[in-house]
Amino acid sequence: GAVVSQHPSRVICKSGTSVKIECRSLDFQATTMFWYRQFPKQSLMLMATSNEGSKATYEQGVEKDKFLINHASLTLSTLTVTSAHPEDSSFYICSATPGLAVSSYNEQFFGPGTRLTVL
Amino acid sequence: GDSVTQMEGPVTLSEEAFLTINCTYTATGYPSLFWYVQYPGEGLQLLLKATKADDKGSNKGFEATYRKETTSFHLEKGSVQVSDSAVYFCALGGAMNRDDKIIFGKGTRLHILP
């Protein structure tokens, strides 16, 4: 149980275009979803936290107009990288928390990640 | 603020060697502690966890004990395999009813040679 999927797994786009990444909790309702960014050989950097039906909370230094997050339902969150540039190329990982009804300590379950390459 | 420090890699071992990856943390309150593993090209998988002091998490031959007195959560395995080659992240998360955020260490890359 507690499976999180991401789509697409890999995307290549031209500079200036927008890219949408989906994150779905397949077998549980996620009260909170998180978006991370991982640079090569580095740790995960939390970008934002989103709760269903409310605006995402962005970490310091993350441009909210650049990285649009929508948490439309308890099983789906999307990250849209707007007007992507080569420096946005990275590995984006989402995670989801089922809430205390399922996990006694708000464990996060991670998606497999999306590799974004901006040419 | 809360933080996690883990030994820098890469760590290279021969198959069947003993593994220790050190991890220490700084936190207020009583966090949960985790080890996550990331295989090449994949997302993170929870390897093991401990939610209170003196708890021992274990999975796939890996173990880690939540030591409050030394604020440590070192990862150990008695006999590593080539398939254990991956990046290992130590992490801490809020206790119940606290902030959901997880704070990760920088990761330790492990290479196991056949």
Side-chain angles (χ1 to χ4, degrees):
Chain A
V3 179
V4 176
S5 70
Q6 278 184 244
H7 178 79
S9 59
R10 188 180 296 268
V11 57
I12 301 172
C13 68
K14 292 183 179 180
S15 186
T17 61
S18 294
V19 175
K20 179 184 285 188
I21 303 169
E22 292 186 348
C23 176
R24 293 181 185 272
S25 55
L26 298 185
D27 50 4
F28 65 96
Q29 293 187 326
T31 56
T32 306
M33 286 185 168
F34 303 84
W35 286 96
Y36 296 85
R37 182 173 179 178
Q38 185 180 30
F39 294 96
K41 299 185 179 180
Q42 294 190 24
S43 190
L44 280 72
M45 180 191 78
L46 178 64
M47 299 174 66
T49 303
S50 74
N51 292 288
E52 184 263 341
S54 61
K55 289 184 179 180
T57 302
Y58 289 81
E59 296 297 302
Q60 192 172 7
V62 178
E63 300 176 59
K64 59 181 67 176
D65 294 330
K66 173 77 172 177
F67 299 99
L68 300 179
I69 292 172
N70 183 284
H71 196 155
S73 75
L74 283 172
T75 60
L76 173 65
S77 176
T78 60
L79 167 68
T80 302
V81 182
T82 61
S83 186
H85 291 285
E87 57 265 29
D88 299 324
S89 298
S90 193
F91 195 53
Y92 292 88
I93 302 175
C94 74
S95 70
T97 296
L100 296 178
V102 175
S103 170
S104 63
Y105 51 87
N106 289 333
E107 179 178 349
Q108 290 186 26
F109 297 94
F110 286 81
T114 297
R115 172 79 57 194
L116 171 63
T117 303
V118 184
L119 302 177
Chain B
D2 295 356
S3 66
V4 175
T5 303
Q6 62 182 103
M7 63 189 292
E8 292 189 20
V11 173
T12 302
L13 296 172
S14 297
E15 201 166 25
E16 299 184 1
F18 183 86
L19 168 71
T20 300
I21 300 178
N22 290 335
C23 172
T24 57
Y25 68 91
T26 302
T28 53
Y30 303 96
S32 297
L33 300 175
F34 310 93
W35 276 100
Y36 285 87
V37 58
Q38 185 178 31
Y39 297 102
E42 299 183 13
L44 270 69
Q45 300 175 27
L46 179 65
L47 179 60
L48 53 84
K49 61 184 182 288
T51 58
K52 61 182 186 297
D54 299 325
D55 267 3
K56 177 186 282 189
S58 61
N59 185 27
K60 299 180 180 180
F62 291 90
E63 293 183 339
T65 301
Y66 189 162
R67 301 285 188 200
K68 190 170 183 293
E69 63 276 13
T70 54
T71 62
S72 65
F73 193 54
H74 304 322
L75 182 68
E76 296 182 337
K77 186 173 185 181
S79 176
V80 293
Q81 306 300 313
V82 173
S83 57
D84 294 327
S85 298
V87 181
Y88 292 81
F89 293 93
C90 185
L92 69 83
M96 286 176 58
N97 302 316
R98 288 191 57 201
D99 195 317
D100 289 344
K101 294 178 185 178
I102 288 182
I103 297 171
F104 288 90
K106 292 187 176 181
T108 302
R109 187 173 297 274
L110 176 65
H111 294 292
I112 305 300
L113 303 175

